Structure formats: C-alpha cells, structure tokens
Amino acid sequence: MSTPTKLVPTPGQTVGPFYGYALPFEKDNELLAPGSPGSLRLQGTVYDGAGETIPDAILEIWQPDADGKIVQQTGSLVRDGYTFTGWGRASVGHSGVYTFTTVNPGPTGQVPGKPAAAPFISVAVFARGLMNRLFTRVYLPENKEALATDPLLSSLDPERRKTLIARRDPDGGLTWDVRLQGEGETVFLDFQ
C-alpha cells in the first residue's frame, strides 16, 4: 500500500499576455462620452519597480456617479454615448499611459450631520509579471477634511497616503500614476 501524498496548491499564472480579440471593446475607457456635461479625463502612467513604463497593462475602474450613487444599469459593454456606466477598462499604450473619460465621483454612504466622505474611484491593475490583479483606489484631491478622516487613508503613513491621491490638472482633469513597486509604490489593497 502506498503512502498518501500531500497535495500542494497549483501556483497562479502570470496575468496576460493580453490579446486584442474580445478583451478591448469600442469605447471601453469612456464611462460617458467625451464632452458630456461634467465629463473629465483621468489619466496617468503605469511604472514598474525600476521606474520604466509598462506598455501592456490594463486598468479597470468602478465608481459612483457625480452624486455618489452606485450605478445599477446593466450592459456596461454597450456604450450608448449618454449613459454613465460606472465601469471602464483602459489598455495602456506603448508609452505606458492610460486615459479614461469619466466624472468626479461623489461621496458614497453619506450620513446626515456627518462630514462628507472622501470620494474615490476603485481600480484594478492587470500587468505582465503579476500573478493576480492588484486592487487600489484613487481619491480626489480637494476635500482635505474628508481625506484626513477617510478610514483607509488615515491608516497609512503620509508618504504612502500620497500614492492614492490624484493631482488636479489645470483643465479640471485628474492625473494619477501607478507604481507597481519601488520608490513611491502605490498602496495596493488585500481583499480577504
């Protein structure tokens, strides 16, 4: 009779390579049409641990609308040019830059008589070399009081906290870079 063998888990596989078939779709990075009232550009660059741009990452975002309402519409893959979908996917170009057309998210879970919550956009990052996607957030920079009292941000060292706060561009858009490791590494979240 043989001795039972202890089974070990199979390791994860690297995310990608990404193929152009069925993954990107028309207007996937437009949560609403460019030029729509209240629309803005969210852009940034994805960097590896050596500070080099990553030319083939994919970012996905989920967010509430400008009033803080979580979108309940179905059919996010069908972009009709006027419905805010709350979800988008952007491929990073050869320069490492991604771009979304979206709105400033409103704060969610507002309680009357309490300070405003810090609005944020949820982000998932897929890139070569990653065994699993990475989760993070990008916060709007304006409401300093809300940023100071946000449970996640207030649990972080101030230098690490900065990696989650976007910069407001002169045209009203947002710039937020993702650093996968190394100096200025973006804070990533672990969901159990």
Side-chain angles (χ1 to χ4, degrees), residues 49-168:
E52 300 294 323
T53 58
I54 296 177
D56 55 2
I58 292 177
L59 275 69
E60 290 184 354
I61 64 172
W62 299 268
Q63 71 171 88
D65 66 14
D67 296 322
K69 294 179 187 152
I70 305 296
V71 177
Q72 301 290 318
Q73 300 284 10
T74 58
S76 291
L77 296 179
V78 179
R79 307 297 188 175
D80 61 16
Y82 59 88
T83 302
F84 177 75
T85 64
W87 178 84
R89 178 187 292 146
S91 299
V92 173
H94 292 293
S95 62
V97 174
Y98 70 88
T99 303
F100 289 98
T101 302
T102 188
V103 297
N104 285 319
T108 58
Q110 285 302 107
V111 178
K114 297 276 186 178
F120 65 87
I121 299 169
S122 296
V123 180
V125 181
F126 302 83
R128 61 178 141 155
L130 296 177
M131 296 303 214
N132 295 298
R133 65 186 176 215
L134 300 173
F135 296 97
T136 188
R137 291 178 175 180
V138 56
Y139 285 85
L140 302 183
E142 287 80 19
N143 189 334
K144 303 295 184 197
E145 180 183 342
L147 293 172
T149 59
D150 180 82
L152 172 62
L153 291 177
S154 60
S155 72
L156 301 171
D157 173 89
E159 284 302 307
R160 303 284 292 136
R161 188 178 308 144
K162 290 190 313 190
T163 70
L164 299 180
I165 301 172
R167 298 181 308 275
R168 184 67 67 182

Side-chain angles (χ1 to χ4, degrees), residues 17-30:
F18 300 116
Y19 300 104
Y21 173 74
L23 188 58
F25 58 92
E26 189 176 355
K27 302 177 185 176
D28 58 357
N29 66 334
E30 296 177 9

Side-chain angles (χ1 to χ4, degrees), residues 10 14 33 38 40 42 45 49 54 102 108 137 155 180 184 187 189 192:
T10 304
T14 301
L40 61 89
L42 168 63
T45 305
I54 296 177
T102 188
T108 58
R137 291 178 175 180
S155 72
L180 296 181
V187 171
L189 308 175
Q192 296 294 325

